[in-house]
Amino acid sequence: MTTIYVPYHLDERLDGLVDEPADTTVTADLPADTDIWGRLAVLYDVLADEVSKADAPVVISGDCTTALGTVAGLQRRGVDPAIVWFDAHGDVQTLETTTSGYIGGMPLRILVGYRPELIADRLGLRALDERRAVLVDARDLDPAEADYLRGSGIRQYRLQDLELPDGPLVVHVDLDVVDAAELPGLLFPVPGGPSLGAVLAKVREIIATGRVVAVDLACTWRPGNGAEARAFIQTVCKGFRKDPNKFRTERDH
């Protein structure tokens, strides 16, 4: 297993999410003379290269858009993954539907093909078939997201009812999928979610299938907080290390 730390919330540096040094820390000189998509493309291109070389990568970052670099890196080495997206939010907003303008609410939609010219084309990221994406415990959906999901191939599940897509898997976990009462300090907390223990058990269950090729852990947290989030991330990483034969890269399959 290789831990890759991306200490950013979008294009803003955000340190302090991991207590122990990662195997690799991804940083980049982000250009000032371009828009946020251009800056993220520079950062995620570096991440994609690291993922393409890593043994069983676990990517840790401050937001969900980092998953674009994770999936692009797997594709660069010939892996065609499905994705299991744990998140309290849908992350299927678009520039046309968002009311906040927050692009951290768009990565799953981008992964399945929304406006590739924004960033996917720059990363060489190929769109995932909607039917190979599942969304777990998304309970805070804007009306436009709910409308899109009703007509899309993306399947939605509660944690306890999850059915996995076929093939190699990327497991993406936004820690706000956990009930907000258990993880104080998150930027976008949502009540009514599963417990920390239940999420961890489900992630371990997926890893036990032997089909996981990467894990993506995202936590948008308020600086000065995050102790519970760091503890969760450490627990997940230790769980992977316990049984490395259950978490393999595609080249090992």
Side-chain angles (χ1 to χ4, degrees):
M1 185 189 79
T2 302
T3 54
I4 302 174
Y5 181 33
V6 188
Y8 291 85
H9 174 240
L10 300 177
D11 59 346
E12 297 181 17
R13 186 68 185 253
L14 179 70
D15 290 298
L17 193 55
V18 293
D19 287 336
E20 299 177 5
D23 296 311
T24 301
T25 298
V26 170
T27 60
D29 293 325
L30 305 183
D33 58 349
T34 186
D35 63 7
I36 190 168
W37 299 108
R39 293 192 292 275
L40 291 180
V42 170
L43 180 62
Y44 297 162
D45 184 59
V46 177
L47 171 61
D49 277 346
E50 293 295 338
V51 169
S52 72
K53 298 179 292 186
D55 176 35
V58 177
V59 179
I60 304 164
S61 76
D63 67 84
C64 293
T65 59
T66 309
L68 304 176
T70 301
V71 175
L74 292 169
Q75 290 179 344
R76 288 181 187 186
R77 75 173 188 223
V79 181
D80 179 25
I83 194 157
V84 183
W85 195 273
F86 289 81
D87 203 309
H89 308 90
D91 286 358
V92 291
Q93 287 285 6
T94 70
L95 292 175
E96 294 76 27
T97 62
T98 179
T99 57
S100 67
Y102 179 59
I103 68 171
M106 304 179 190
L108 183 55
R109 189 70 171 267
I110 293 171
L111 282 170
V112 296
Y114 169 69
R115 291 190 59 177
E117 76 278 3
L118 292 174
I119 188 170
D121 286 348
R122 310 187 213 198
L123 298 174
L125 173 64
R126 301 184 300 279
L128 304 182
D129 188 315
E130 288 182 340
R131 295 167 296 180
R132 302 192 66 221
V134 299
L135 180 57
V136 185
D137 246 290
R139 56 197 182 273
D140 186 9
L141 301 174
D142 288 345
E145 291 185 295
D147 287 345
Y148 164 72
L149 288 167
R150 276 193 293 268
S152 82
I154 297 173
R155 290 173 289 157
Q156 293 180 258
Y157 294 102
R158 297 297 299 270
L159 183 78
Q160 63 270 23
D161 302 320
L162 175 60
E163 296 181 15
L164 298 175
D166 294 332
L169 301 173
V170 173
V171 177
H172 169 85
V173 182
D174 184 336
L175 268 64
D176 68 23
V177 73
V178 174
D179 190 278
E182 287 201 52
L183 282 181
L186 297 177
L187 278 179
F188 307 110
V190 181
S195 69
L196 259 171
V199 172
L200 183 58
K202 182 59 69 172
V203 171
R204 285 174 168 162
E205 179 183 315
I206 299 170
I207 289 169
T209 67
R211 294 197 286 127
V212 175
V213 292
V215 173
D216 200 75
L217 300 173
C219 182
T220 49
W221 57 283
R222 298 182 186 280
N225 294 279
E228 291 85 358
R230 288 193 295 274
F232 178 84
I233 289 168
Q234 288 180 357
T235 300
V236 172
C237 291
K238 287 177 182 176
F240 296 160
R241 289 192 177 98
K242 273 186 179 179
D243 195 354
N245 292 326
K246 293 295 187 183
F247 183 38
R248 302 171 293 174
T249 59
E250 178 71 3
R251 70 188 96 183
D252 298 324
H253 283 218

